[in-house]
Amino acid sequence: MHSSRHLRRPLVAVASLSLIGTLAACGGGSDSAASSTPGVTDDSILVGTHMPLTGPAAAGYSTISPATKAYFDYVNDKGGVHGRKITYKVKDDGYNPANTQSVVRELVLKDKVFAVVNGLGTPTHTGVLDFLKTNKVPDLFVASGSRSWNQPEKYPTTFGFQADYTTEAKVQATYIKENLADKTVCFLGQDDDFGEDALKGLTQILGEDGVKERQSYVTSNTNVGPQIGKLKAAGCEVVSLATVPGFTALAVGTAARLQFKPQWISTSVGADYSTVAGALGEAAPLLEGFLSTNYLPSQFDDDNEWITLFKKINEDYNKGAPFTGNTVYGMTVGYLFVQALQQNGKELTRQSLIDTIEEGGLDGPGLMGLRFSKDDHSGYGGAQMAKITGTTQDYFGPVYATDDGETPVKEYTEGATTPPKDGIPTE
């Protein structure tokens, strides 16, 4: 797909070890940093997450955490990280913000996890930001493209992961501007920051007048007939979606029943072919020509070394579960967390890991670089277009890089990384 390289970055130096850590190094071989850090012992690290294992966002998303755990199990079988095995505690919140607050409190106060890794959802995770900040818990690689995770001054322990929704929508809008300029463009999005951030990206490139009709939905109401009817009545020829997979399927299926056939174009979160086709069932052929954006390698790209690695791990450690874009997503998160631990070194504290990530040495499978720095806690900084043909989702055109502001997109020319020999990052 792209020229390959594997980035080796210098090990982050943790400048100031605590007095306790220094005494432990001189004392009797006990790991004092570990003993004083929640969730960390000499031979283990406990991390947790909240995920919609049930509820309106479970389709597809419930498979992410098993993929992350599979990657951790693979690493554990090879000795772990600096002698520590990773335990991943997953709690179901049903994509309900009230449940999220309850399970995250349990993870932190009862289970005493070291970090929350890949908590999923814009409306759900927003409600636990202050709690995690107050308790100084590393809140890593949030599973949502909201721009809320990139507020290092307000939420210093929180980091994003995926390309934010504004960035993805800017790549979509650039494609629309160059290839569908004579078409009437409209929008359907989730009624929260997810939808709002995506709409910002569209209008930054197309202008406020460039998006004719704008409709939203709430996840508690699966009837999107009124919204789709208004899009049809407005003469929409291109509909940009900021939808979770179940609502992508609802939108496409409802439109077909109304004999409304626009060109769909979606953010990555609602566009995984295997997930949406599964939800549509026999109506899956309706996805022919469906456009989307993504920032991770395609699960259909058998020539990609990351995909080869993840497929093998999926077979060996994930009970051979269906291999989808969500599998790639979950394993990428696992890889980045392991890479951060490796670069941190043996002396692990919550603050030392945050400092390590801010140093900017993480790379991984993404099609472009991660933005992490002390002043930027967002994740991948761009995306590429993809199109569904038959039963595959093929990428095409340039990889674009941009930020979540009003700057235009530009072609990313540095190429992608390749995995280390055994699939485990080194220091």
Side-chain angles (χ1 to χ4, degrees):
M1 186 186 303
H2 309 286
S3 61
S4 294
R5 59 186 172 81
H6 181 61
L7 302 181
R8 287 296 305 272
R9 303 248 169 76
L11 181 64
V12 176
V14 181
S16 56
L17 295 177
S18 67
L19 176 61
I20 294 176
T22 304
L23 290 175
C26 303
S30 71
D31 188 341
S32 224
S35 65
S36 63
T37 299
V40 178
T41 70
D42 289 351
D43 57 11
S44 68
I45 304 170
L46 174 64
V47 295
T49 195
H50 62 91
M51 281 276 162
L53 303 182
T54 58
Y61 292 170
S62 61
T63 65
I64 292 174
S65 53
T68 303
K69 182 181 182 299
Y71 183 79
F72 289 158
D73 289 346
Y74 172 73
V75 173
N76 289 344
D77 265 5
K78 293 184 177 296
V81 186
H82 298 298
R84 297 187 178 106
K85 305 289 182 70
I86 303 169
T87 298
Y88 195 39
K89 197 173 189 71
V90 181
K91 296 206 173 185
D92 180 19
D93 64 6
Y95 205 62
N96 180 318
N99 292 348
T100 306
Q101 294 191 41
S102 175
V103 299
V104 169
R105 289 182 68 86
E106 286 180 10
L107 286 168
V108 173
L109 301 179
K110 180 182 176 183
D111 301 320
K112 300 192 182 303
V113 296
F114 168 70
V116 170
V117 178
N118 206 221
L120 188 144
T122 300
T124 49
H125 200 76
T126 299
V128 297
L129 288 177
D130 288 314
F131 173 76
L132 293 172
K133 171 189 174 181
T134 299
N135 286 274
K136 299 181 179 180
V137 179
D139 178 21
L140 308 180
F141 315 142
V142 182
S144 154
S146 170
R147 298 191 295 174
S148 299
W149 325 136
N150 183 26
Q151 300 183 76
E153 291 187 6
K154 185 175 182 181
Y155 296 112
T157 69
T158 294
F159 292 81
F161 162 67
Q162 61 199 63
D164 63 68
Y165 301 130
T166 301
T167 291
E168 284 202 62
K170 285 167 65 176
V171 174
Q172 291 177 25
T174 300
Y175 175 84
I176 291 169
K177 194 172 185 178
E178 294 176 353
N179 298 277
L180 302 167
D182 59 337
K183 304 294 185 182
T184 300
V185 179
C186 301
F187 175 78
L188 173 65
Q190 196 159 292
D191 189 20
D192 54 27
D193 287 350
F194 176 14
E196 291 170 10
D197 287 352
L199 183 57
K200 284 176 186 174
L202 287 178
T203 57
Q204 281 171 10
I205 302 297
L206 301 177
E208 287 294 336
D209 294 337
V211 183
K212 181 179 180 182
E213 181 69 28
R214 307 167 186 194
Q215 290 292 314
S216 63
Y217 70 90
V218 293
T219 58
S220 58
N221 184 355
T222 56
N223 178 18
V224 294
Q227 294 95 320
I228 299 298
K230 289 179 181 178
L231 294 173
K232 179 182 179 182
C236 301
E237 297 170 284
V238 177
V239 177
S240 175
L241 296 173
T243 48
V244 295
F247 278 82
T248 302
L250 284 169
V252 172
T254 301
R257 287 194 295 273
L258 296 178
Q259 297 185 318
F260 174 47
K261 299 179 181 180
Q263 172 63 66
W264 302 103
I265 185 167
S266 172
T267 60
S268 59
V269 298
D272 176 62
Y273 172 77
S274 301
T275 304
V276 180
L280 283 169
E282 293 181 358
L286 292 172
L287 293 173
E288 184 71 23
F290 189 99
L291 297 172
S292 61
T293 41
N294 211 322
Y295 49 91
L296 296 176
S298 169
Q299 71 266 34
F300 298 104
D301 185 3
D302 291 332
D303 294 329
N304 185 286
E305 293 180 45
W306 290 102
I307 298 303
T308 300
L309 169 69
F310 290 162
K311 280 187 173 180
K312 184 69 167 65
I313 294 173
N314 190 61
E315 285 296 322
D316 294 345
Y317 292 89
N318 198 21
K319 302 175 182 177
F323 189 82
T324 70
N326 289 312
T327 313
V328 177
Y329 184 107
M331 290 194 185
T332 299
V333 168
Y335 181 91
L336 292 179
F337 182 63
V338 168
Q339 189 178 45
L341 293 175
Q342 292 277 31
Q343 293 187 359
N344 178 92
K346 177 72 172 176
E347 288 287 337
L348 177 65
T349 67
R350 284 171 164 174
Q351 188 58 50
S352 74
L353 190 65
I354 289 168
D355 292 342
T356 296
I357 297 171
E358 288 184 337
E359 189 69 18
L362 305 187
D363 44 61
L367 303 181
M368 75 300 299
L370 288 150
R371 298 170 177 154
F372 295 142
S373 70
K374 191 170 185 60
D375 299 321
D376 193 335
H377 283 193
S378 61
Y380 284 110
Q384 186 178 18
M385 292 294 301
K387 181 178 182 179
I388 293 174
T389 304
T391 59
T392 64
Q393 197 162 23
D394 299 316
Y395 291 12
F396 67 92
V399 175
Y400 288 111
T402 185
D403 56 28
D404 63 357
E406 296 188 12
T407 57
V409 302
K410 60 182 180 181
E411 189 170 343
Y412 183 81
T413 58
E414 293 185 38
T417 64
T418 56
K421 188 173 181 180
D422 65 354
I424 300 175
T426 60
E427 298 175 19

